[in-house]
Amino acid sequence: MSMFFIFAICCFGIFHLIGYNALIKHISKNLKFRLISIALLILNFIILIVYVMLIRNTTLPDTIVIILSISILIALLLCTLGILNIIFLIIGRFIKPFPNVLISKILLCLLPLGVINGIYEANKTPKIVEQTIEIKNLKKDIKILFLSDLHISNLISKEKIQNTINLANSTNPDIIILGGDIIDSYENVIKDKILLLKDLNAKYGVYFVLGNHEFIFDANKSLEIMSKFSNITSLVNSSVIIDDNINLIGISDLMGRRVGYLEPNINEALKNTNDDLPKILISHQPNIIDELDSDIDLVFSGHTHGGQIFPFTILAYLNNPFLYGLKPINNIQLYISQGSHLAVTYGRIGTQNEINLITLKEMK
């Protein structure tokens, strides 16, 4: 049993305890209500354990996996509502009278509404988010379709992946960038879904960089899979010149340093670049920005999912430069996508599935 598995189970166990002690037990003193609530929480926790055990390597139908994953969404929302109720309970100590019980009941009612909303938002087709970015030394406009965090797994249906690929192709981009966390399971589990990547089509090709989830399932294997597609070029600490117009640079994910192989190497990636052309760097995790100098014009990243589920967006924000969109940092333009699909649980709250259509123009 891995340390990550133990840590995850402990965290979600605590989330359930917080939800009960901070919210549910304040609603009613009725023993029957409390026993039923405890039973439901235990059931959800058991389902969550089963899901965490199966998430990496399961041949269960997608629908079953999605249903199991909702146990995590419930745990996250339950913990959030419990903490919010604690705040109201504290306020109630200073304001008399204060409708503590009523507020607790209202918050509990928000739990199923939050789950429904999370599933609804997760199920939406990715939105095309367009952005124009000006960079220096560009000879002509170039249109880039940035696809990050596809998370091909049993959490994402084959139909949903195909729809996202069709949407990407419909924009008629010059380049398609696969910005990491594309493969999120073992090949034998998602073989038919991976094959859909062969349908991606762009004028100057499709380019792939590793994300942290590729390392979970063996990054070398992911590179081997990608090498089978004639339309996809992997950039691992390497670069390519596109149409004598831009340097497209891809570095390995920061996760490589933790596991000790395929570590990101910026100097190696920049070796064969043309200094007279703009340098566009792709790094799945945006924290790479802290290691770059202003010689880089633009960085494409994903990873954050925009936080995926509010208010855990706050934690995502604290661990990244920002959550999504375009922002200059250290004199470098950093663009972060919220991602095309989902990780861990089938839910989005306060964020959206998106693919990003970027038009690069010469800086005036």
Side-chain angles (χ1 to χ4, degrees):
M1 186 180 295
S2 70
M3 290 300 296
F4 173 78
F5 175 81
I6 295 172
F7 177 75
I9 293 302
C10 289
C11 283
F12 285 114
I14 291 170
F15 286 177
H16 283 81
L17 289 173
I18 290 173
Y20 177 78
N21 288 296
L23 176 62
I24 293 174
K25 79 173 187 179
H26 296 285
I27 291 173
S28 173
K29 294 182 180 180
N30 183 282
L31 180 61
K32 184 177 180 180
F33 170 80
R34 292 192 175 190
L35 289 175
I36 292 174
S37 299
I38 291 171
L40 290 174
L41 290 179
I42 292 173
L43 177 61
N44 190 72
F45 186 55
I46 292 171
I47 294 172
L48 188 150
I49 292 174
V50 171
Y51 174 66
V52 172
M53 291 176 65
L54 294 176
I55 189 172
R56 289 191 176 185
N57 189 10
T58 179
T59 54
L60 288 174
D62 293 348
T63 303
I64 300 298
V65 174
I66 289 171
I67 291 172
L68 293 175
S69 82
I70 293 169
S71 61
I72 290 183
L73 178 61
I74 291 172
L76 292 172
L77 289 173
L78 186 64
C79 179
T80 300
L81 294 171
I83 292 172
L84 188 59
N85 195 52
I86 288 175
I87 296 172
F88 282 115
L89 290 173
I90 293 172
I91 293 173
R93 290 183 178 182
F94 299 97
I95 301 175
K96 301 293 183 179
F98 194 81
N100 281 330
V101 174
L102 177 60
I103 289 175
S104 297
K105 289 180 178 179
I106 291 172
L107 289 175
L108 185 60
C109 289
L110 291 178
L111 178 60
L113 294 177
V115 171
I116 291 169
N117 178 70
I119 295 170
Y120 174 76
E121 293 297 328
N123 200 50
K124 284 184 177 180
T125 299
K127 180 182 178 181
I128 300 176
V129 176
E130 298 189 41
Q131 177 81 51
T132 298
I133 301 177
E134 294 185 349
I135 56 176
K136 60 186 178 182
N137 300 325
L138 192 69
K139 296 179 180 179
K140 57 183 176 181
D141 293 357
I142 186 167
K143 188 163 63 171
I144 299 174
L145 193 285
F146 186 53
L147 269 177
S148 182
D149 299 279
L150 277 176
H151 287 283
I152 299 177
S153 65
N154 278 355
L155 196 61
I156 311 298
S157 70
K158 186 175 181 179
E159 180 183 17
K160 193 172 183 66
I161 296 167
Q162 184 67 70
N163 288 341
T164 300
I165 288 173
N166 291 343
L167 189 63
N169 287 336
S170 72
T171 64
N172 298 312
D174 296 313
I175 303 169
I176 292 178
I177 295 174
L178 297 173
D181 281 8
I182 304 303
I183 296 174
D184 197 7
S185 189
Y186 291 109
E187 183 181 17
N188 64 301
V189 176
I190 55 171
K191 193 171 184 179
D192 58 332
K193 296 177 182 178
I194 294 174
L195 290 174
L196 297 176
L197 294 174
K198 73 180 187 308
D199 295 334
L200 286 170
N201 183 46
K203 184 176 181 180
Y204 299 117
V206 182
Y207 298 88
F208 164 76
V209 300
L210 293 165
N212 57 301
H213 279 246
E214 273 84 19
F215 279 92
I216 294 173
F217 301 99
D218 187 349
N220 282 316
K221 183 62 178 178
S222 294
L223 293 173
E224 179 186 325
I225 291 170
M226 291 298 180
S227 70
K228 298 175 184 178
F229 297 104
S230 59
N231 61 323
I232 298 176
T233 300
S234 295
L235 296 176
V236 185
N237 301 324
S238 59
S239 65
V240 62
I241 295 175
I242 305 293
D243 193 32
D244 194 31
N245 192 23
I246 63 169
N247 296 289
L248 192 63
I249 307 153
I251 63 171
S252 188
D253 188 69
L254 292 169
M255 185 74 162
R257 292 176 182 165
R258 291 178 58 185
V259 298
Y261 73 101
L262 289 175
E263 298 182 27
N265 188 323
I266 297 167
N267 291 331
E268 183 68 25
L270 294 173
K271 266 186 180 179
N272 298 313
T273 55
N274 183 340
D275 290 337
D276 295 326
L277 300 177
K279 294 177 181 177
I280 314 300
L281 186 139
I282 316 159
S283 169
H284 177 67
Q285 296 193 46
N287 284 325
I288 197 67
I289 196 73
D290 295 330
E291 303 179 27
L292 303 178
D293 57 42
S294 56
D295 190 40
I296 303 297
D297 296 278
L298 173 64
V299 176
F300 283 116
S301 294
H303 185 61
T304 69
H305 289 255
Q308 189 163 325
I309 297 173
F310 183 84
F312 293 90
T313 46
I314 298 170
L315 296 178
Y317 182 81
L318 293 175
N319 284 292
N320 294 281
F322 57 99
L323 289 177
Y324 62 90
L326 179 68
K327 186 176 180 179
I329 295 180
N330 301 333
N331 295 317
I332 300 170
Q333 296 191 83
L334 172 60
Y335 187 86
I336 303 176
S337 171
Q338 295 188 74
S340 306
H341 296 149
L342 311 154
V344 183
T345 184
Y346 199 79
R348 270 195 187 270
I349 296 177
T351 61
Q352 67 178 11
N353 300 326
E354 66 183 36
I355 64 175
N356 308 88
L357 185 61
I358 314 299
T359 301
L360 301 185
K361 291 183 175 291
E362 168 65 17
M363 185 176 290
K364 297 177 181 179

